[in-house]
Amino acid sequence: CGSGSRCQKPGCCRKPLYRMLSQADAARVAVVRLKAAHTWRAVPRTARLLSPKDREDRVEKICEVTEDFCLQPQTAGLAVSMFDRVCAKAALGAEINVPLDVVGLVCVLVATKFQEVRVPAIEELAKMDLPKGRAPRSRILMKEAEMTVLCLLDWDLHEAAPHQYLEHLFQITGASKSCVKRAEFFVDMSFYEARMLDFSPIAIAAGSLMLAWQQLGDIESENKHTAQLACLCEVDLKTLFLCRHILMDHFESVFKTCEVTVRVPASAPMDDSLRSESPDSIFAPLDAMSVVPRPPGSKVDPDKFFSPLRCPPSLPLAGPSPARSGRE
């Protein structure tokens, strides 16, 4: 109508307040609302049922299942978080009559109902991670195990994964594409590290972003945004740097530079790829791709999914699969 901000007609010229905010300010508001809607519950160290190695093996199985069904990284993160909470209840004395491998599968099933459009069929999920010599799991067993897990979680299933915070932190800091890919990789990797249970999801997201800056040598972004990240996380800088250090320590323990002894003639040249691997060589393929590809092929037939919103098999099921600590 030409009257601009003086216009009083609903839906005419006056813009809602959120449209007047910059992208970074809108992301800050989203972070505050996300934190208010999802209360983080730390898992006490006295409530750790499994050793770090045993927990890592269980997380590995959960991520393998999510990869086989082509589920989103957020689904894997939510499933791992639920699994940790169930183990904490067991460590504090709660009675669990369900094997941990079944608990992991049920956590994946529950997580898919929150994060995915298409949910894996229980019959197909029951076949996954089946130990040798054990009889196939029945549908009744899986449904009873699901009810057990839901009761142990007190039906409190609303959680915010680090990935959700990370998307907003990218907008706040104006992260580059290389930084985005690295930070997402570090968040996926954090699932495997038991020491990350001491940090909130937003602190893990911030620590992953800081580690991405460190590996890229982006000192300017680190100096400019680190204090702001600590304020958003409501933690001191020491906590964020500790989170980054643990992530880096885990990364180096998996992708450590090491000499490889190979029996070849002394005059024969040694292939550099056999000698060592570095962060630059690991992330080089990611930097060359506009989209991180999904692992080739799924072991599960797409038609074996069930959902009220059944979409054509030609459509992709989900986004890229979570990185698995570089174990492939």
Side-chain angles (χ1 to χ4, degrees):
C1 64
S3 56
S5 59
R6 296 171 296 173
C7 179
Q8 300 296 324
K9 297 180 181 178
C12 185
C13 296
R14 293 173 63 88
K15 294 183 180 180
L17 178 61
Y18 72 90
R19 291 187 180 179
M20 300 173 63
L21 298 175
S22 65
Q23 188 177 32
D25 290 336
R28 292 187 188 93
V29 173
V31 168
V32 173
R33 289 181 176 178
L34 197 60
K35 289 170 57 181
H38 303 276
T39 303
W40 173 63
R41 294 167 292 273
V43 179
R45 296 195 176 187
T46 56
R48 308 284 169 87
L49 181 66
L50 302 175
S51 66
K53 180 63 172 64
D54 291 338
R55 178 189 175 276
E56 185 177 3
D57 292 340
R58 283 291 100 208
V59 173
E60 179 79 17
K61 295 297 183 182
I62 291 175
C63 290
E64 284 179 358
V65 171
T66 58
E67 284 188 354
D68 290 340
F69 283 100
C70 299
L71 304 178
Q72 301 179 79
Q74 292 89 334
T75 305
L78 181 57
V80 170
S81 177
M82 291 180 179
F83 180 81
D84 286 328
R85 289 172 56 195
V86 171
C87 289
K89 289 291 186 71
L92 295 175
E95 184 178 356
I96 300 179
N97 298 320
V98 180
L100 288 182
D101 57 327
V102 179
V103 172
L105 293 175
V106 169
C107 290
V108 173
L109 178 63
V110 175
T112 57
K113 295 179 180 180
F114 278 84
Q115 300 287 347
E116 306 289 342
V117 175
R118 308 178 73 187
V119 181
I122 294 182
E123 291 81 0
E124 293 301 319
L125 194 62
K127 298 176 183 178
M128 309 298 291
D129 191 22
L130 190 63
K132 293 183 179 180
R134 182 181 294 184
R137 307 181 185 96
S138 65
R139 179 184 178 88
I140 296 177
L141 172 66
M142 295 294 292
K143 296 300 292 183
E144 291 177 349
E146 183 179 12
M147 288 303 301
T148 300
V149 168
L150 291 174
C151 291
L152 287 170
L153 296 176
D154 298 323
W155 292 84
D156 185 6
L157 309 176
H158 294 277
E159 296 185 40
H163 286 94
Q164 293 175 266
Y165 289 105
L166 193 61
E167 293 176 0
H168 299 304
L169 295 185
F170 289 153
Q171 297 178 351
I172 293 173
T173 60
S176 64
K177 291 183 178 179
S178 296
C179 180
V180 167
K181 293 173 183 177
R182 282 167 168 77
E184 289 176 343
F185 180 90
F186 292 136
V187 167
D188 295 340
M189 185 187 68
S190 69
F191 300 155
Y192 297 85
E193 177 54 65
R195 290 176 291 176
M196 301 309 296
L197 294 175
D198 296 331
F199 302 95
S200 65
I202 187 174
I204 295 174
S208 300
L209 183 56
M210 290 168 59
L211 182 54
W213 287 333
Q214 180 182 357
Q215 291 206 345
L216 288 170
D218 191 351
I219 300 176
E220 180 181 356
S221 295
E222 187 172 2
N223 293 337
K224 181 179 180 181
H225 299 293
T226 299
Q228 183 183 15
L229 292 180
C231 182
L232 287 172
C233 298
E234 296 181 347
V235 298
D236 53 21
L237 288 173
K238 181 180 178 181
T239 301
L240 276 190
F241 282 115
L242 177 60
C243 179
R244 185 185 70 176
H245 172 75
I246 293 175
L247 285 170
M248 188 62 191
D249 181 64
H250 183 76
F251 177 81
E252 291 180 343
S253 69
V254 177
F255 302 100
K256 60 183 177 181
T257 302
C258 59
E259 293 295 330
V260 180
T261 303
V262 183
R263 294 183 179 178
V264 294
S267 59
M270 176 73 78
D271 186 357
D272 289 339
S273 63
L274 296 177
R275 291 184 180 273
S276 63
E277 52 188 350
S278 67
D280 291 338
S281 64
I282 292 166
F283 286 109
L286 293 181
D287 293 334
M289 301 175 186
S290 58
V291 177
V292 180
R294 184 184 301 165
S298 172
K299 300 178 183 177
V300 181
D301 186 351
D303 291 332
K304 295 179 181 178
F305 282 74
F306 168 79
S307 171
L309 303 175
R310 193 176 182 87
C311 58
S314 59
L315 295 180
L317 297 178
S321 173
R324 296 171 45 206
S325 301
R327 286 171 173 74
E328 281 79 48

